[in-house]
Amino acid sequence: IVTTGPVRIDRLRVLCRDANTDRANLLLHARLDSDASRTVRIRTTIGNYTQRERVQPLARGANEVEWTLGVDNPRLWWPWSLGSPELVDVTVEVFLEDDDAASDTAVRRTGIRQVSFDRWQMSINGERMFVKGANCGPTRMQIGEATGEELRRDVELARDAGLDLLRVHAHITRPEFYEAADSLGMLIWQDLPLQWGYARSI
């Protein structure tokens, strides 16, 4: 059970569109669920870098809201073989117009980074990288029974072997795995949970 005020943050997505040592630009997308038409204040805080508020009118029900936020001189996330995997908390708070208490708050932990892949050449934050990777199957056949420690251990073993990328092959694993990859500086190549032949409509 989750308790919120009249406006709930139903979903929140944070995407780093571009990043270098001078500046990064984040794209945020939220679904705000309001019990009535109203105007709210949305406060976005990115670690110790920046804080900004915006006024947003909402209709009753679900509202899709999108905004961008720039970060000057960010500490970039790097794969462990190139640098430090710096992580930052992005906090979004929604306030009713005349209320100092947040109606709802959501936090996403992420790395400020730009990953590009063009003609089989990968670049991280503008620097080309020779990627050393391997396939990664499910930690257990019953993924839901794997512990957080077991999921993290898969990433640790890959890093200890000198790899900097894991391809999550033909499945989507648990959040603890992706969190471990972020904190340990491991790139993830995420497959869809599909394998072999499918109808053209797929």
Side-chain angles (χ1 to χ4, degrees), residues 65-140:
V65 182
E66 195 168 87
W67 67 101
T68 59
L69 198 59
V71 178
D72 292 324
N73 305 310
R75 295 176 66 182
L76 299 175
W77 182 97
W78 291 95
W80 69 269
S81 56
L82 294 181
S84 177
E86 299 285 345
L87 295 174
V88 66
D89 287 332
V90 178
T91 304
V92 173
E93 301 167 280
V94 178
F95 298 87
L96 304 187
E97 216 169 4
D98 299 319
D99 199 344
D100 291 332
S103 179
D104 200 7
T105 301
V107 180
R108 297 291 180 268
R109 192 163 179 78
T110 189
I112 298 177
R113 60 198 160 197
Q114 181 176 355
V115 180
S116 60
F117 191 68
D118 183 37
R119 297 178 186 168
W120 295 96
Q121 294 178 358
M122 182 168 282
S123 297
I124 313 296
N125 302 324
E127 184 170 329
R128 281 185 59 182
M129 179 178 183
F130 179 78
V131 179
K132 304 173 295 297
N135 279 358
C136 183
T139 299
R140 288 196 186 193

Side-chain angles (χ1 to χ4, degrees), residues 122-164:
M122 182 168 282
S123 297
I124 313 296
N125 302 324
E127 184 170 329
R128 281 185 59 182
M129 179 178 183
F130 179 78
V131 179
K132 304 173 295 297
N135 279 358
C136 183
T139 299
R140 288 196 186 193
M141 287 300 292
Q142 302 294 333
I143 296 175
E145 294 178 2
T147 66
E149 291 78 17
E150 289 173 324
L151 291 155
R152 183 179 179 88
R153 183 69 179 141
D154 282 350
V155 182
E156 291 172 339
L157 289 170
R159 178 174 163 163
D160 291 347
L163 303 179
D164 41 39

Side-chain angles (χ1 to χ4, degrees), residues 20-25 49-50 69-75 112:
N20 57 48
T21 55
D22 296 325
R23 186 168 173 85
N25 292 296
Y49 295 111
T50 187
L69 198 59
V71 178
D72 292 324
N73 305 310
R75 295 176 66 182
I112 298 177

